[in-house]
Amino acid sequence: MCGGDLSEPRQFNLMFKTHMGPVEEDSAVVYLRPETAQGIFVNFKNVLQFSRKKPPFGIAQQGKSFRNEITPGNFIFRTREFEQMEMEYFVPPPEADRWYEYWKDERMRWYTDLGLRPDHLRMRAHGDDELSHYSSATADIEYLFPIGWSELEGIANRGDFDLTQHAKYSGDKLEYVDGGSGERYVPHVIEPAAGADRAMLAFMVDAYDEEVVEGRERVVLRLHPKLAPVKVAVLPLVNKDGQPEQAREIYLNLRERMPAEFDQGGSIGKRYRRQDEIGTPWSVTVDHLTMEDRTVTLRDRDSLEQTRIAIADLGDELERRLGEDWRSPKLG
């Protein structure tokens, strides 16, 4: 039972309404998009004509979406503006169920390949009372955040609802016609729809770690090297004897091949810690030996292993490591 007086029922609009142009009149009303998907459906016929693709094929895009949330809050999980990644995968109707299962597996693998621990992920199928009216099946990929399980993305079998609705109101046929057999049909659509903000938060939460090294606490962000904003830091051991100049030369060369950073402020230990905290997978140290034999120390963020390598081989070695499979040290 609810206590107190309740207001009369009111109409809520989860879309942001505005006007196109300087004059506020009914003919100029527009809405900020609540999802990126509908632009794909509107452009379906153009893509089909110019790409000459035959289903199955997909159209993907990333961009801003806007929701006029009734109760915004809960950190990034209910925001009025967010970054969305969506794909509409158009398939022959009889193949829809098979492709739905395929994309569920592929999307789960994307997260684990980029370092998320499998035991912190789950696939949760929607019950009949949760399904959207156009969906025959939907499942959410959820991550176990410190605040509990929360959705990263949804994978839906949308059927032919979107294309048939756009065709109905535009009067334009949105169907695939096989040039050989003459067969024509409205493709069904499998839609993975993910939040870029939520995914990045999950990667950061999963990567965060604390450990004690040589009696001192180390905070480290164990990001997959492909996700790390800085791939390598170049650090002169001391700010004299030509080491800063040599380090900067190495940095400028590496920067042409991958995101790199040059840091010469503070002790070498503090600079290592700074790079650990932002997830930089490798650090290169220029020292007195570098000036003699043109080798540097290459330090690994996760194992803390340090190896000597020739400057001439450094770029190739880092690119080789970037291309290798990576496994989170948290998995043991």
Side-chain angles (χ1 to χ4, degrees), residues 246 249-250 289-296 308-312:
Q246 179 64 78
E249 180 183 332
I250 294 171
L289 193 56
T290 306
M291 312 310 293
E292 298 175 7
D293 64 5
R294 296 191 61 78
T295 65
V296 292
R308 297 298 293 191
I309 182 172
I311 294 174

PDB file of all heavy atoms in Angstrom, residues 246 249-250 289-296 308-312:
ATOM      1  N   GLN A 246      68.835  11.568 -25.404  1.00  0.00           N
ATOM      2  CA  GLN A 246      68.717  10.238 -26.022  1.00  0.00           C
ATOM      3  C   GLN A 246      67.315   9.664 -25.806  1.00  0.00           C
ATOM      4  O   GLN A 246      66.717   9.073 -26.717  1.00  0.00           O
ATOM      5  CB  GLN A 246      69.756   9.293 -25.424  1.00  0.00           C
ATOM      6  CG  GLN A 246      69.710   7.861 -25.981  1.00  0.00           C
ATOM      7  CD  GLN A 246      70.031   7.799 -27.457  1.00  0.00           C
ATOM      8  OE1 GLN A 246      71.176   7.875 -27.864  1.00  0.00           O
ATOM      9  NE2 GLN A 246      68.991   7.644 -28.276  1.00  0.00           N
ATOM     10  N   GLU A 249      64.807  11.301 -28.136  1.00  0.00           N
ATOM     11  CA  GLU A 249      64.941  10.788 -29.508  1.00  0.00           C
ATOM     12  C   GLU A 249      64.231   9.447 -29.648  1.00  0.00           C
ATOM     13  O   GLU A 249      63.524   9.203 -30.638  1.00  0.00           O
ATOM     14  CB  GLU A 249      66.422  10.643 -29.860  1.00  0.00           C
ATOM     15  CG  GLU A 249      66.654  10.117 -31.277  1.00  0.00           C
ATOM     16  CD  GLU A 249      68.131   9.904 -31.585  1.00  0.00           C
ATOM     17  OE1 GLU A 249      68.979  10.615 -30.985  1.00  0.00           O
ATOM     18  OE2 GLU A 249      68.427   9.024 -32.418  1.00  0.00           O
ATOM     19  N   ILE A 250      64.400   8.566 -28.667  1.00  0.00           N
ATOM     20  CA  ILE A 250      63.711   7.270 -28.695  1.00  0.00           C
ATOM     21  C   ILE A 250      62.198   7.479 -28.642  1.00  0.00           C
ATOM     22  O   ILE A 250      61.437   6.839 -29.391  1.00  0.00           O
ATOM     23  CB  ILE A 250      64.175   6.397 -27.509  1.00  0.00           C
ATOM     24  CG1 ILE A 250      65.650   6.029 -27.665  1.00  0.00           C
ATOM     25  CG2 ILE A 250      63.316   5.133 -27.393  1.00  0.00           C
ATOM     26  CD1 ILE A 250      66.257   5.357 -26.458  1.00  0.00           C
ATOM     27  N   LEU A 289      74.533   3.028 -19.363  1.00  0.00           N
ATOM     28  CA  LEU A 289      74.944   1.968 -20.284  1.00  0.00           C
ATOM     29  C   LEU A 289      74.411   2.238 -21.695  1.00  0.00           C
ATOM     30  O   LEU A 289      75.049   1.873 -22.695  1.00  0.00           O
ATOM     31  CB  LEU A 289      74.449   0.617 -19.771  1.00  0.00           C
ATOM     32  CG  LEU A 289      75.035  -0.640 -20.434  1.00  0.00           C
ATOM     33  CD1 LEU A 289      76.558  -0.647 -20.351  1.00  0.00           C
ATOM     34  CD2 LEU A 289      74.449  -1.903 -19.794  1.00  0.00           C
ATOM     35  N   THR A 290      73.244   2.886 -21.762  1.00  0.00           N
ATOM     36  CA  THR A 290      72.678   3.243 -23.071  1.00  0.00           C
ATOM     37  C   THR A 290      73.651   4.092 -23.867  1.00  0.00           C
ATOM     38  O   THR A 290      73.794   3.929 -25.094  1.00  0.00           O
ATOM     39  CB  THR A 290      71.356   4.013 -22.882  1.00  0.00           C
ATOM     40  OG1 THR A 290      70.471   3.263 -22.069  1.00  0.00           O
ATOM     41  CG2 THR A 290      70.698   4.295 -24.227  1.00  0.00           C
ATOM     42  N   MET A 291      74.316   4.999 -23.177  1.00  0.00           N
ATOM     43  CA  MET A 291      75.226   5.919 -23.846  1.00  0.00           C
ATOM     44  C   MET A 291      76.482   5.210 -24.357  1.00  0.00           C
ATOM     45  O   MET A 291      77.187   5.724 -25.224  1.00  0.00           O
ATOM     46  CB  MET A 291      75.628   7.057 -22.899  1.00  0.00           C
ATOM     47  CG  MET A 291      74.442   7.710 -22.171  1.00  0.00           C
ATOM     48  SD  MET A 291      73.071   8.198 -23.248  1.00  0.00           S
ATOM     49  CE  MET A 291      73.851   9.504 -24.181  1.00  0.00           C
ATOM     50  N   GLU A 292      76.728   4.011 -23.834  1.00  0.00           N
ATOM     51  CA  GLU A 292      77.907   3.256 -24.256  1.00  0.00           C
ATOM     52  C   GLU A 292      77.592   2.252 -25.364  1.00  0.00           C
ATOM     53  O   GLU A 292      78.339   2.142 -26.346  1.00  0.00           O
ATOM     54  CB  GLU A 292      78.514   2.513 -23.059  1.00  0.00           C
ATOM     55  CG  GLU A 292      79.008   3.434 -21.941  1.00  0.00           C
ATOM     56  CD  GLU A 292      79.477   2.659 -20.721  1.00  0.00           C
ATOM     57  OE1 GLU A 292      79.530   1.409 -20.803  1.00  0.00           O
ATOM     58  OE2 GLU A 292      79.773   3.284 -19.690  1.00  0.00           O
ATOM     59  N   ASP A 293      76.480   1.494 -25.203  1.00  0.00           N
ATOM     60  CA  ASP A 293      76.231   0.398 -26.161  1.00  0.00           C
ATOM     61  C   ASP A 293      74.885   0.503 -26.877  1.00  0.00           C
ATOM     62  O   ASP A 293      74.479  -0.418 -27.575  1.00  0.00           O
ATOM     63  CB  ASP A 293      76.339  -0.948 -25.448  1.00  0.00           C
ATOM     64  CG  ASP A 293      75.276  -1.139 -24.356  1.00  0.00           C
ATOM     65  OD1 ASP A 293      74.396  -0.253 -24.216  1.00  0.00           O
ATOM     66  OD2 ASP A 293      75.322  -2.158 -23.652  1.00  0.00           O
ATOM     67  N   ARG A 294      74.147   1.601 -26.678  1.00  0.00           N
ATOM     68  CA  ARG A 294      72.855   1.828 -27.330  1.00  0.00           C
ATOM     69  C   ARG A 294      71.861   0.707 -27.046  1.00  0.00           C
ATOM     70  O   ARG A 294      71.139   0.228 -27.920  1.00  0.00           O
ATOM     71  CB  ARG A 294      73.018   2.055 -28.839  1.00  0.00           C
ATOM     72  CG  ARG A 294      73.807   3.331 -29.165  1.00  0.00           C
ATOM     73  CD  ARG A 294      73.722   3.680 -30.651  1.00  0.00           C
ATOM     74  NE  ARG A 294      72.351   3.938 -31.112  1.00  0.00           N
ATOM     75  CZ  ARG A 294      71.673   5.059 -30.908  1.00  0.00           C
ATOM     76  NH1 ARG A 294      72.205   6.034 -30.188  1.00  0.00           N
ATOM     77  NH2 ARG A 294      70.452   5.213 -31.401  1.00  0.00           N
ATOM     78  N   THR A 295      71.826   0.300 -25.778  1.00  0.00           N
ATOM     79  CA  THR A 295      70.774  -0.603 -25.302  1.00  0.00           C
ATOM     80  C   THR A 295      69.981   0.123 -24.211  1.00  0.00           C
ATOM     81  O   THR A 295      70.475   1.066 -23.593  1.00  0.00           O
ATOM     82  CB  THR A 295      71.333  -1.918 -24.737  1.00  0.00           C
ATOM     83  OG1 THR A 295      72.108  -1.635 -23.560  1.00  0.00           O
ATOM     84  CG2 THR A 295      72.162  -2.657 -25.762  1.00  0.00           C
ATOM     85  N   VAL A 296      68.754  -0.330 -23.978  1.00  0.00           N
ATOM     86  CA  VAL A 296      67.903   0.264 -22.942  1.00  0.00           C
ATOM     87  C   VAL A 296      67.297  -0.859 -22.106  1.00  0.00           C
ATOM     88  O   VAL A 296      67.326  -2.031 -22.489  1.00  0.00           O
ATOM     89  CB  VAL A 296      66.770   1.109 -23.561  1.00  0.00           C
ATOM     90  CG1 VAL A 296      67.320   2.356 -24.234  1.00  0.00           C
ATOM     91  CG2 VAL A 296      65.936   0.279 -24.539  1.00  0.00           C
ATOM     92  N   ARG A 308      67.361  -6.091 -21.149  1.00  0.00           N
ATOM     93  CA  ARG A 308      68.117  -5.159 -21.998  1.00  0.00           C
ATOM     94  C   ARG A 308      67.828  -5.464 -23.454  1.00  0.00           C
ATOM     95  O   ARG A 308      67.755  -6.638 -23.862  1.00  0.00           O
ATOM     96  CB  ARG A 308      69.619  -5.288 -21.743  1.00  0.00           C
ATOM     97  CG  ARG A 308      70.091  -4.930 -20.362  1.00  0.00           C
ATOM     98  CD  ARG A 308      69.825  -3.487 -19.971  1.00  0.00           C
ATOM     99  NE  ARG A 308      70.595  -2.501 -20.748  1.00  0.00           N
ATOM    100  CZ  ARG A 308      70.662  -1.218 -20.420  1.00  0.00           C
ATOM    101  NH1 ARG A 308      69.995  -0.763 -19.352  1.00  0.00           N
ATOM    102  NH2 ARG A 308      71.365  -0.367 -21.154  1.00  0.00           N
ATOM    103  N   ILE A 309      67.639  -4.410 -24.223  1.00  0.00           N
ATOM    104  CA  ILE A 309      67.332  -4.573 -25.637  1.00  0.00           C
ATOM    105  C   ILE A 309      67.967  -3.423 -26.406  1.00  0.00           C
ATOM    106  O   ILE A 309      68.061  -2.292 -25.903  1.00  0.00           O
ATOM    107  CB  ILE A 309      65.794  -4.608 -25.862  1.00  0.00           C
ATOM    108  CG1 ILE A 309      65.472  -4.825 -27.341  1.00  0.00           C
ATOM    109  CG2 ILE A 309      65.132  -3.357 -25.322  1.00  0.00           C
ATOM    110  CD1 ILE A 309      63.985  -5.066 -27.594  1.00  0.00           C
ATOM    111  N   ALA A 310      68.414  -3.708 -27.609  1.00  0.00           N
ATOM    112  CA  ALA A 310      69.022  -2.672 -28.446  1.00  0.00           C
ATOM    113  C   ALA A 310      67.969  -1.666 -28.883  1.00  0.00           C
ATOM    114  O   ALA A 310      66.817  -2.026 -29.178  1.00  0.00           O
ATOM    115  CB  ALA A 310      69.680  -3.309 -29.661  1.00  0.00           C
ATOM    116  N   ILE A 311      68.355  -0.405 -28.930  1.00  0.00           N
ATOM    117  CA  ILE A 311      67.435   0.639 -29.371  1.00  0.00           C
ATOM    118  C   ILE A 311      66.889   0.325 -30.759  1.00  0.00           C
ATOM    119  O   ILE A 311      65.697   0.534 -31.037  1.00  0.00           O
ATOM    120  CB  ILE A 311      68.150   2.009 -29.363  1.00  0.00           C
ATOM    121  CG1 ILE A 311      68.519   2.418 -27.938  1.00  0.00           C
ATOM    122  CG2 ILE A 311      67.279   3.073 -30.017  1.00  0.00           C
ATOM    123  CD1 ILE A 311      69.358   3.689 -27.851  1.00  0.00           C
ATOM    124  N   ALA A 312      67.728  -0.211 -31.614  1.00  0.00           N
ATOM    125  CA  ALA A 312      67.313  -0.508 -32.990  1.00  0.00           C
ATOM    126  C   ALA A 312      66.201  -1.552 -33.048  1.00  0.00           C
ATOM    127  O   ALA A 312      65.426  -1.596 -34.012  1.00  0.00           O
ATOM    128  CB  ALA A 312      68.519  -0.972 -33.804  1.00  0.00           C
TER     129      ALA A 312
END
